[in-house]
């Protein structure tokens, strides 16, 4: 049996095919306050990520290292791209979901529901039909650390879908704190992280699974329960394995929910994404740093595998 480097922990032999004995865990950026929202821009060979409390979005590339992408980001948290390649992000400060147009201007996509302000949109995905799905926990308004302290106006912490026609609707309303979310490769399933154990020990740190039918979700129950910390950001690879943030690193689950293995990271992990020249680099935001690790499987999101078509 080939020995893997110490940052790779095998729980099921299927994990070995998803990594490599020469894999390294490289810290490619450091010195931040709380990193989040990694998203790969293959057309720029660059990674964008948020430093939420410092209110900025940073860019990293192999050739230029770390540069400032946007100052005064409004406590921007989770990021993704739509099929036109535009950046779509969640801002705690303005409590909205915002799209960055190709000319750099910002378009607010959602900021209120039923006449009341959203809590603090946290993470976002865009399905191939152009609908925008996002979570709305209260982390951005429970202190002044990553937003502005305020009482929530919404009666629950919802998951929303903004239709391509611009209609905002609640698709799930029974989370303590919905957080990261991602689709299975064929978009038939949506995984949503429950991170409510951050402030309530009675909430289990689970990833829930929902069947997607058009614009509605059907609850298929708990997909996996984390054994270290709680789930925040997540991504699927092309084989349908789910990679979730956790307290001790990144946990990889098979489509049946089996824990295949872990990438151990020396800082608390908030989120991750696939990218790099062949889609086989995982970028991990972890507290004050960003790490890169080779994984031998590309991400499910098409723009993570090179230039956006
Ligand atoms: Mg999050």
């Amino acid at each position: 049996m080939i020995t893997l480097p110490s940052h790779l922990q095998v729980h099921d032999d299927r994990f070995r095919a998803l990594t490599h004995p020469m894999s390294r865990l490289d810290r490619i950026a450091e010195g931040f306050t709380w990193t989040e929202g990694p998203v790969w821009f293959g057309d720029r060979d660059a990674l964008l990520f948020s430093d939420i409390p410092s209110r900025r979005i940073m860019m990293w590339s192999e050739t230029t290292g770390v540069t400032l992408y946007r100052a005064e980001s409004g406590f921007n948290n989770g990021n993704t791209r739509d099929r036109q390649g535009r950046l779509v992000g969640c801002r705690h400060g303005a409590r909205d979901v915002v799209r960055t147009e190709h000319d750099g201007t910002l378009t607010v996509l959602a900021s209120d529901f039923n006449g009341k302000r959203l809590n603090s949109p946290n993470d976002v995905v865009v399905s191939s039909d152009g609908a925008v799905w996002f979570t709305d926990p209260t982390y951005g308004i429970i202190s002044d650390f990553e937003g502005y302290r305020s009482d929530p106006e919404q009666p629950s912490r919802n998951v929303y879908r903004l239709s391509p026609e611009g209609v905002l609707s609640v698709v799930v309303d029974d989370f303590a704190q919905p957080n990261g979310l991602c689709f299975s490769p064929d978009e038939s399933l949506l995984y949503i992280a429950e991170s409510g154990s951050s402030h309530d020990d009675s909430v289990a740190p689970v990833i829930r699974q929902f069947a997607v039918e058009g614009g509605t979700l059907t609850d298929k129950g708990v997909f996996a329960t984390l054994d270290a910390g709680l789930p925040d950001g997540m991504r699927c690879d092309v084989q349908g394995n789910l990679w979730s943030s956790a307290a001790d690193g990144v946990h990889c689950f098979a489509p049946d929910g089996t824990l295949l293995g872990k990438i151990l990271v020396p800082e608390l992990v908030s989120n991750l994404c696939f990218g790099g020249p062949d889609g086989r680099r995982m970028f991990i935001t972890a507290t004050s740093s960003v790490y890169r690790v080779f994984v031998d499987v590309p991400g499910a999101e098409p723009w993570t595998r090179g230039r956006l078509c």
Side-chain angles (χ1 to χ4, degrees):
M1 190 77 71
I2 294 172
T3 303
L4 292 175
S6 59
H7 63 273
L8 298 174
Q9 189 178 87
V10 178
H11 289 246
D12 181 299
D13 271 344
R14 285 175 283 178
F15 189 59
R16 293 179 179 278
L18 301 174
T19 183
H20 192 276
M22 296 293 285
S23 160
R24 291 167 46 92
L25 181 70
D26 296 317
R27 180 190 273 174
I28 59 170
E30 58 184 312
F32 303 98
T33 308
W34 179 246
T35 57
E36 246 285 3
V39 59
W40 180 250
F41 275 65
D43 31 351
R44 300 185 186 192
D45 288 325
L47 177 80
L48 295 187
F49 62 95
S50 303
D51 183 8
I52 304 176
S54 300
R55 310 182 199 188
R56 53 186 179 169
I57 299 176
M58 309 303 296
M59 174 178 278
W60 173 91
S61 81
E62 190 84 66
T63 51
T64 59
V66 178
T67 53
L68 180 67
Y69 173 79
R70 177 178 298 162
E72 299 304 328
S73 67
F75 297 100
N76 193 95
N77 186 343
N79 291 308
T80 191
R81 302 182 77 181
D82 64 15
R83 291 304 194 276
Q84 289 74 46
R86 296 171 294 191
L87 175 67
V88 178
C90 299
R91 299 192 297 186
H92 289 177
R95 298 161 67 170
D96 62 11
V97 177
V98 67
R99 182 175 67 212
T100 302
E101 308 296 344
H102 291 302
D103 65 5
T105 59
L106 302 182
T107 302
V108 173
L109 301 179
S111 60
D112 57 84
F113 180 72
N114 272 351
K116 297 182 171 67
R117 297 184 75 185
L118 299 174
N119 296 321
S120 52
N122 187 290
D123 216 342
V124 59
V125 289
V126 180
S127 47
S128 54
D129 63 358
V132 179
W133 308 66
F134 64 93
T135 55
D136 189 38
T138 57
Y139 292 117
I141 56 173
I142 56 178
S143 77
D144 289 319
F145 180 63
E146 51 176 347
Y148 303 109
R149 188 192 305 268
S150 185
D151 292 329
E153 296 180 19
Q154 298 295 334
S156 51
R157 291 86 182 259
N158 300 324
V159 182
Y160 293 93
R161 176 181 183 267
L162 180 66
S163 75
E165 296 77 31
V167 178
L168 188 63
S169 57
V170 175
V171 288
V172 191
D173 65 359
D174 64 348
F175 275 77
Q177 294 278 27
N179 203 317
L181 71 176
C182 74
F183 284 105
S184 61
D186 64 1
E187 297 186 358
S188 65
L189 298 169
L190 181 66
Y191 300 97
I192 307 175
E194 169 63 88
S195 64
S197 58
S198 60
H199 293 76
D200 183 349
D201 288 341
S202 69
V203 179
V206 297
I207 300 167
R208 294 170 58 184
Q209 189 178 35
F210 297 84
V212 183
E213 286 144 31
T216 61
L217 299 179
T218 302
D219 192 351
K220 295 189 69 178
V222 171
F223 169 72
T225 303
L226 264 62
D227 62 12
L230 53 84
D232 194 339
M234 310 181 291
R235 293 288 195 280
C236 276
D237 64 37
V238 292
Q239 299 175 13
N241 303 303
L242 179 79
W243 303 72
S244 173
S245 54
D248 56 352
V250 175
H251 295 189
C252 176
F253 297 95
D256 66 3
T258 304
L259 177 63
L260 299 182
K262 298 182 178 182
I263 301 170
L264 300 176
V265 177
E267 295 180 79
L268 184 70
V269 171
S270 64
N271 209 334
L272 58 114
C273 75
F274 290 84
D278 55 5
R280 289 177 167 78
R281 304 298 184 283
M282 182 173 288
F283 295 94
I284 302 167
T285 50
T287 311
S288 66
S289 304
V290 179
Y291 295 84
R292 177 187 58 187
V293 62
F294 175 84
V295 287
D296 209 355
V297 61
E301 296 164 318
W303 62 86
T304 66
R305 301 191 293 277
R307 294 185 66 87
L308 193 80
C309 300

